[in-house]
Amino acid sequence: MTETWPVDPHQPDPRTLARAAAVLRDGGLVAFPTETVYGLGAHALDPAAVARIFTAKGRPAHDPLIVHLADPADLPKVAADVPALARGLWERFAPGPLTLVLPRHPAVPAAVTAGKDTVAVRIPAHPVALGLIRAAGVPVAAPSANTFGHTSPTTAQHVLDDLGGAVDVILDAGPTPVGVESTILDLTQDPPVLLRPGGVPREALEEVLGRPIVSAQSAQSPRAPGMLPRHYAPRVPLWLFDGPRTWAQEALWQSAVHLARGQGRRIAALVPHEDAARLRSLGVQVADLGPEADLEAVARALFAGLRALEAEAPDVILARTVGETDLGLAIADRLRRAAAHILRPPIPRT
Ligand code: TXA
Ligand code: MG
């Protein structure tokens, strides 16, 4: 049985948090909002509780979990070494959507880190998450609270849709404010490697580090196990128009026109506001992501839009990228992982 407990996102009732914290300490599963997406939390130092996360999600045991803390002072409890670089980044970005990969402390069960000698740690910037972790008094292991490989949840209803019955409590504080997961930076490699673009833009990290960051794709290193080519996938084929704005917008439109001529085909589109009206006039079911220039709005609406369109069970979802600067990089990354087909502009002849 899953219980959903409403909480105020800004001033959560301490009694509700204390009850949820007790469930965590007793080895239960509590889904909670973070600023990025909802997490599926368990007592990180209790291997049996951690095992329940993998079962609930259908997640393979080789995919490690992020350990969530409320206070940077607790870092030495989960990381064997906290390099100066980590402290500098933490000062600037914690609490916030930044996950650092550090050497693992022996107290962290192998189940959490999938047997690796590194541990991913983050301090979420959400009053409910922070209050819950503080009340529990233990580190909290939490992946995104979706079934493995599905779109990440940005509302309590998304969690219930995927994990209803498998989780003890869902703390419902409304939609999450960032909408894409945390940025993951591996500090156990020199130079540091960006394992996943996310809520903290790469440019902001580079500014603090004073040098460019290597991405996992180009690094001579294993990628984050969860960085599978197909991840975040909706249950309907998604065609992604991935390229410069003028090309992507027009190519998506031409495809929609072409597809709309087909008999009885149900077409959906996940697009910025600028594209919405024209596509609707064709009979396309549209999820409006907000103005293209407002990348924060687009990130916030992305996963909910995907899930809403998926629920309509169209034959195809058309989507396009919105550049690669700031949050655009995380948005493009999630869309590429969700895509069944990626269409790119033709290479110009010289
Ligand atoms: O925003 C977020 O990070 C959310 C919220 C709930 O905090 N969590 C989240 O967790 O996205 P999850 O499990 O869905 O994604 C975590 C990613 C996975 O791709 C995993 O492989 C990677 O982090 N990861 C975890 N520990 C790692 C480690 N020690 N080394 C490399 N990658 C690691
Ligand atoms: Mg996930």
Side-chain angles (χ1 to χ4, degrees), residues 33-38 151-159 173-180 299-305 307:
T34 76
E35 78 280 35
T36 59
V37 300
Y38 275 73
T151 309
S152 292
T154 56
T155 67
Q157 185 62 49
H158 296 161
V159 180
T176 56
V178 174
V180 291
R300 201 159 40 235
L302 188 69
F303 290 149
R307 280 178 179 257

Side-chain angles (χ1 to χ4, degrees), residues 75-174:
L75 258 183
K77 292 182 188 163
V78 296
D81 176 41
V82 184
L85 202 53
R87 278 194 215 102
L89 287 167
W90 230 254
E91 230 160 77
R92 170 82 168 71
F93 297 110
L98 176 65
T99 296
L100 297 180
V101 175
L102 300 167
R104 177 178 78 102
H105 189 285
V108 180
V112 171
T113 64
K116 292 157 80 69
D117 53 10
T118 58
V119 60
V121 192
R122 104 172 183 94
I123 301 177
H126 195 296
V128 175
L130 288 174
L132 175 69
I133 299 164
R134 241 177 232 130
V138 296
V140 175
S144 50
N146 49 279
T147 48
F148 181 69
H150 195 212
T151 309
S152 292
T154 56
T155 67
Q157 185 62 49
H158 296 161
V159 180
L160 199 61
D161 290 343
D162 278 21
L163 301 176
V167 32
D168 299 303
V169 174
I170 303 173
L171 292 176
D172 181 358

Side-chain angles (χ1 to χ4, degrees), residues 32 34-40 57 59 62-68 97 99 101-102 112-113 116-122 124 142-146 152 180-184 186 195-196 222-228 231-232:
F32 61 95
T34 76
E35 78 280 35
T36 59
V37 300
Y38 275 73
L40 177 62
K57 280 189 62 114
R59 181 175 174 118
H62 59 73
D63 194 358
L65 306 176
I66 296 174
V67 174
H68 295 68
T99 296
V101 175
L102 300 167
V112 171
T113 64
K116 292 157 80 69
D117 53 10
T118 58
V119 60
V121 192
R122 104 172 183 94
S144 50
N146 49 279
S152 292
V180 291
E181 302 92 332
S182 61
T183 302
I184 307 180
D186 186 352
L195 294 180
R196 178 176 75 184
R223 308 173 66 194
M227 300 294 276
L228 303 170
H231 210 74
Y232 310 100

